[in-house]
Amino acid sequence: MEDINPMELLRSNLSRVRIPEPTNRIYKQECCLSFDSPRSEGGLFVDMNTFLAFGKDHVAWNYEKTGNPVYLHIKQTKKLVSEDRPLKKPTLLAIGIDGGFDNNEPEYEETHNIVILPSHVTLPFPSVELPEKVRLAVDAILMAEGAERKEQVAAWTADKKQISAYAMELLQIGNVVVPPSGWKCCKCDKTENLWLNLTDGMILCGRRNWDGTGGNNHAVEHYKETGYPLAVKLGTITSDLEAADVFSYPEDDSVIDPLLAQHLAYFGIDFSSLQKTEMTTAERELDQNTNFDWNRIQESGQDVEPIFGPGYTGLVNLGNSCYMAATMQVVFSTQSFCRRYYMSQSLKMAFETAPADPTVDLNMQLTKLAHGLLSGKYSLPASKKDGTATPPVKDAKQEGIPPRMFKAVIAASHPEFSTMRQQDALEFFLHFLDQVERSNAAKPELDPSRSFRFGVEERILCSSGKVAYNKRLDNILSLNIPLHEATNKQELEAFNKIKAEKMSEGKDVSNDEIVRPRVPLEACLANFVAPEEIPDFYSSALKTKTTALKTAGLTSFPDYLVLHMRKFVMEAGWVPKKLDVYIDVPDIIDISHMRSKGLQPGEELLPEAALESEAESSQPIADEAIVAQLASMGFNQLHCQKAAINTSNAGVEEAMNWLLSHMDDPDIDAPISHGAKGAEASIDQAAVDTLVSFGFQEEIARMALKASGGDIEKATDWIFNNPNASAASAMDTNTSSNSTPTQVDAGLPDGGGRYRLFGIVSHIGTSTQCGHYVAHILKDGRWVIFNDDKVAASINPPKDMGYLYFFERI
């Protein structure tokens, strides 16, 4: 190769060089397959045909796969800075921008070369001798904003709303007083997605979505008739008025109404009083406790020793992404995920099977994340920012890896996770498992998300002595916290006395005086399996309504058991409240007693007609007040109605608990059936024919459409998620017995009921949508704290303050 002139070689490959168009995504900050960047030892190679970037160890794989030979090599080297450079005084409350705080970021020098593979022939850039096409292409790549940065900026600015031009002079008429719940559209029966017009106080439903869901367009039609410009979405109004969803019809956008408090007060919705009373009691206490939680959960103030090496890699916070970081650290501490995406799959294997753009492939990005976290390659003490020697280990920190590409892929299908706002770690975990299951649909035996899945069976005992069994699958066990089971009742009583006295004197309780209830985890588990009365249960045996007893148990025990503590409840008057409680969680639990036994000898099943005639004879009606209150928390209207019906309209808390534990039911989106015949009749034959044309059997197509409310896309998903479904099993799920396991829990992992605690995700803050998440994980026999990019030995893990607890079977 020596005698080939590098310039000739470049000219002969010019057809493989493209000048990027403005619409092309250009990657130049991070390798697609690893966390190598221009600052890494080998720099970064940008493919001048696809504009994808690769680290030194991976660029040859791209050449083998695509044959693209020409690359722009970008290398950044730290500039040495004198120790005593003067620090400028900040004039702005910001970090790392002009006039803001100096974040001591080192400066880097950037060098560029053109590299031709496979022999790594190198030509310097810039150089007048390079062909014009190459010069134009490189300039365009260097000038362009990188795709990684573009996505981040888009996510931040998507949340920025403008002040409405109509807010300041808004006309308000009429004398309507709006109640705090129980709303309904003035023109139809819709009780969710309701908007209050801020001019005349009319409550009307929102727009209809393309798929037929949503409202009936009454709010927007009212604007067209009257020209009244602004409406606020009911249920988004909390004491944090900035978070309220105000829409401007003439501006056709979500906007800020700076006078929202007075516009609402006109209709009798008074926030000043709500804010005051709330702040004086519960909020202020939580505020104090948040400071305490913050220190305890993050182990601040303790001299924790940083840890480095394989499995101890931090994750950089991308802006409110700690919910994702805490969850993924625990997920990649499980054998099932390590095996699937690290031990059994190399980066090269994942890249070879990935589509042309590996940045949008979940399998590739999970493999990249797994290798980033588990290899130890990026878990090194960062050298000091000014380029001087590496500090001693005690003070050393690591930089961590930024999970940007993974977040972009996992959030692509989800409107909330793709923003830069804080999210609920539980919702993210369930969404993540769902995406992993889908991406492994072709080879379900490889699916690591199965290690979390288990079956739940509910047994209903009718007063006739006959029984019915219902089964479902779940990935988490969501537990109520029975505060009346607290083990420190006397201390609590004494504390409440002191608190009342102090409040009557207008004083606050100090931090070290506050006593929180302590509830044993055993009491929360016992509460899950305890019998529960169902009033107004329609008995097909007695042909009338009666009171039945419902009990629940697990049909299988997963490899990893995740317990979700229901700390967030809704109080009257729009106020979400976080239960201020400690849970005493032992290191080892035994849930053997929670296994459901199925149909027992001598038990008689309720007649088949049970479920049909129950619906036909007395179709239950959801209590609108309960539905409205749940919908105001952001839950889907149909789900809220089902929750109210399934808890016999017992109350908001009961309905919310039902909702949280049934979110993943395969039929959660199916319409509320008015008897089986009605459901059969309402299935559109054209939809059945479409599914049959995909190669599915007709009766399976009918079952799937029935379970999915007639939605073809959801029905297709249902068929893939229930591969063992057959027409005969359509009824099995309702009346299963232990002797013949039905398809609901067939093939799930199972074993003994003894589990060891190995992971805790804790939450600090007043609601799941704000605050901070931290993970504590038991690794190599010691507890480790993972707080974004900080990884250190834990001195006192907050075992009694968890939001999600992860157990592994012993």
Side-chain angles (χ1 to χ4, degrees), residues 93-374:
L93 195 59
I95 296 177
I97 62 168
D98 223 23
F101 287 90
D102 181 3
N103 56 358
N104 288 327
E105 267 301 326
E107 290 180 21
Y108 285 85
E109 276 173 311
E110 192 166 281
T111 54
H112 307 118
N113 286 296
I114 305 297
V115 175
I116 304 166
L117 262 62
S119 305
H120 282 266
V121 171
T122 304
L123 296 103
F125 179 91
S127 157
V128 285
E129 289 168 22
L130 290 170
E132 186 186 24
K133 183 179 182 185
V134 174
R135 296 206 304 266
L136 288 171
V138 173
D139 285 338
I141 291 171
L142 296 177
M143 285 297 294
E145 183 154 42
E148 307 95 332
R149 171 119 183 95
K150 227 181 215 163
E151 272 168 20
Q152 212 173 352
V153 170
W156 276 111
T157 49
D159 295 342
K160 285 216 173 83
K161 295 189 224 174
Q162 301 303 313
I163 291 178
S164 170
Y166 297 85
M168 305 314 274
E169 307 291 321
L170 186 75
L171 168 76
Q172 291 194 287
I173 54 174
N175 48 7
V176 179
V177 173
V178 177
S181 63
W183 319 290
K184 179 167 145 301
C185 173
C186 297
K187 297 191 178 170
C188 69
D189 289 337
K190 290 278 178 191
T191 53
E192 74 152 345
N193 190 8
L194 296 177
W195 295 77
L196 170 72
N197 189 296
L198 289 172
T199 295
D200 62 1
M202 284 280 270
I203 293 177
L204 297 159
C205 60
R207 301 180 197 224
R208 183 180 286 114
N209 298 330
W210 58 270
D211 59 355
T213 59
N216 289 322
N217 295 329
H218 286 138
V220 66
E221 283 165 11
H222 184 63
Y223 158 68
K224 286 174 186 161
E225 288 159 22
T226 61
Y228 300 154
L230 300 182
V232 61
K233 187 172 184 179
L234 289 173
T236 64
I237 308 168
T238 62
S239 49
D240 172 17
L241 280 185
E242 281 184 13
D245 198 347
V246 178
F247 193 84
S248 165
Y249 294 104
E251 293 160 299
D252 197 27
D253 207 352
S254 288
V255 292
I256 294 169
D257 172 2
L259 304 179
L260 183 59
Q262 80 183 51
H263 291 154
L264 289 168
Y266 183 85
F267 300 113
I269 302 175
D270 180 13
F271 277 89
S272 53
S273 64
L274 175 101
Q275 259 172 310
K276 271 209 283 289
T277 58
E278 272 314 300
M279 255 330 267
T280 51
T281 54
E283 286 283 318
R284 184 172 312 158
E285 229 168 84
L286 249 177
D287 251 24
Q288 294 179 353
N289 291 343
T290 298
N291 295 333
F292 170 72
D293 289 359
W294 200 268
N295 296 333
R296 168 85 197 280
I297 288 175
Q298 299 201 94
E299 307 196 43
S300 335
Q302 307 210 38
D303 207 2
V304 290
E305 170 204 344
I307 307 179
F308 304 96
Y312 296 102
T313 311
L315 286 167
V316 174
N317 194 324
L318 307 173
N320 291 327
S321 62
C322 54
Y323 67 91
M324 181 176 80
T327 308
M328 296 315 296
Q329 291 286 10
V330 184
V331 163
F332 277 114
S333 301
T334 65
Q335 275 292 310
S336 52
F337 273 85
C338 293
R339 233 191 340 265
R340 171 73 181 82
Y341 294 108
Y342 182 63
M343 297 186 277
S344 310
Q345 181 158 264
S346 67
L347 289 169
K348 189 170 188 195
M349 278 164 65
F351 177 55
E352 281 166 359
T353 56
D357 183 353
T359 65
V360 297
D361 181 45
L362 182 60
N363 182 56
M364 179 71 247
Q365 294 309 319
L366 269 172
T367 308
K368 166 177 166 171
L369 184 62
H371 284 255
L373 289 173
L374 301 172

Side-chain angles (χ1 to χ4, degrees), residues 35 313-316 378-380 397-402 788-789:
F35 292 91
T313 311
L315 286 167
V316 174
Y378 304 99
S379 179
L380 304 164
K397 291 215 331 241
Q398 53 171 295
E399 282 175 8
I401 54 177
D788 288 332
D789 52 359

Side-chain angles (χ1 to χ4, degrees), residues 779-801:
K779 283 202 173 194
D780 305 325
R782 63 172 167 180
W783 283 93
V784 179
I785 177 171
F786 289 83
N787 184 2
D788 288 332
D789 52 359
K790 300 177 201 61
V791 181
S794 167
I795 294 169
N796 181 17
K799 291 183 189 174
D800 49 5
M801 298 173 81

